[in-house]
Amino acid sequence: MKIQVLGPLSAEVNGGSIVPTAGKPRQILSLLALYPGRVMPVPTLMDEIWETEPPRSALTTLQTYILQLRRRLGTAMGPGAPGGAKDVLATRHGGYLLQIPEDCVDVHQYDYLVAEGQSAFEAGANDVSADRFRQALDLWNGPALVDVQVGPILEIEVMRLEESRLVTVERRIDADLRLGRHSELLAELAELTARHPQHEGLHSQAMVALYRSGRQASALEVYRKLRVRLIDDLGVEPSPQLQRLHQAMLTVDPQLDVTAGPRRTSTFDLFAA
C-alpha cells in the first residue's frame, strides 16, 4: 500500500486506487493514514466527521463507511492476497486502525528525512542537511490533504504539517546559506517573503542572501519594508535579533560573511542575545 497526504489524497494497493469519492469516508481514510498501526478511537472519528452534532445513527453510519473502505481495499488486494481487508483495516476494541508500515505513508517518510536533516544541520554537515531537507520537501505535491474536506481533528493535523513544511524550508535555506549559495536563493526568498509578509525568519534570510550577493542597499530595504509593515499592521517593532542583524549590516560585521567551518545556528538566530 502507498498513501500520500502531502497534497491531494492518494491511496493505492497494487496500483489500484482505494480512495472513496464520498467526503466522510475520505476523512476517515486520511485520519487512519496519519496514524498507521495505531487505534483511532470511534469517538475521535465521529468528532472528525460530524463535530458536535452526530446523527442518532452515527455508529451504524461509521460502520458503513468502514465497510465501504474495506470493500475498495479488498477489490484492490485481489482474491489471492494473504490475509484480507479486515486484517489491513482492522477493528479493535473501541476503534479502528490501518495495519501497515509507517513508511507506506508519505508523511512518515517526510518526518524521517526532516529528522535526518535536522541532525545533520546541528552537526554542521551542511551538504547532507540541505540534501535531506530537499528530499523531504520534494515529497510534497501541494497543500496537505488539499482535496479532503477536513473536520476539527484533520484541520489541526493539516496546520501542523503546513507549519512543519515552512520550518523545513527555512532550515534548508539556512543550510544552503552556510554553503554559500546565497545568489541561487534570491528568487526563492523574494517569493517566500511576498507570501509570508510578516515572517521575520524568511526576511532575515533574504537580507543575508542579498548582503552576501553584494546588494547591501537591497538588504536594508527588505528590513525597512518589514519594519513599516510590522508597525502598521501589528504595532510592534522587529525582534531584537532582527534589529541586531540590521545593525550588523550597517557596520559591515564580518560575522555576516560565509565563514569556513560549520555554523550550528540558524540565520535568524545568528544575532540572538
Side-chain angles (χ1 to χ4, degrees), residues 183-197:
S183 296
E184 302 168 35
L185 294 168
L186 293 177
E188 181 183 10
L189 283 165
E191 178 187 356
L192 286 168
T193 52
R195 284 167 48 196
H196 304 278

Side-chain angles (χ1 to χ4, degrees), residues 238-256:
S239 64
Q241 57 258 56
L242 195 60
Q243 293 183 44
R244 284 190 286 271
L245 175 62
H246 176 249
Q247 186 61 33
M249 289 184 174
L250 290 173
T251 59
V252 195
D253 193 316
Q255 284 194 79
L256 291 168

Side-chain angles (χ1 to χ4, degrees), residues 102-180:
E102 283 193 345
D103 60 7
C104 290
V105 186
D106 61 352
V107 69
H108 297 288
Q109 298 174 35
Y110 165 79
D111 287 338
Y112 176 78
L113 288 166
V114 167
E116 281 202 331
Q118 187 61 35
S119 294
F121 184 83
E122 292 169 0
N126 302 321
D127 281 316
V128 175
S129 177
D131 178 68
R132 295 298 184 274
F133 286 141
R134 194 167 278 108
Q135 287 183 49
L137 293 166
D138 284 346
L139 292 172
W140 286 76
N141 191 32
L145 295 173
V146 65
D147 58 348
V148 176
Q149 182 176 344
V150 300
I153 299 163
L154 280 179
E155 183 179 23
I156 292 171
E157 293 292 340
V158 167
M159 289 174 59
R160 177 185 67 82
L161 288 170
E162 291 294 340
E163 181 62 26
S164 172
R165 183 187 191 182
L166 184 58
V167 170
T168 302
V169 169
E170 284 186 81
R171 294 290 77 81
R172 196 221 81 227
I173 291 172
D174 273 328
D176 282 337
L177 283 171
R178 291 177 179 180
L179 292 164

Side-chain angles (χ1 to χ4, degrees), residues 47-83:
D47 287 346
E48 167 61 27
I49 58 181
W50 289 299
E51 299 190 34
T52 58
E53 298 180 355
R56 289 185 178 181
S57 61
L59 183 57
T60 302
T61 304
L62 176 60
Q63 292 169 342
T64 300
Y65 293 152
I66 295 293
L67 180 61
Q68 291 172 359
L69 288 170
R70 281 181 178 149
R71 284 175 177 165
R72 297 184 71 90
L73 183 57
T75 299
M77 290 173 66

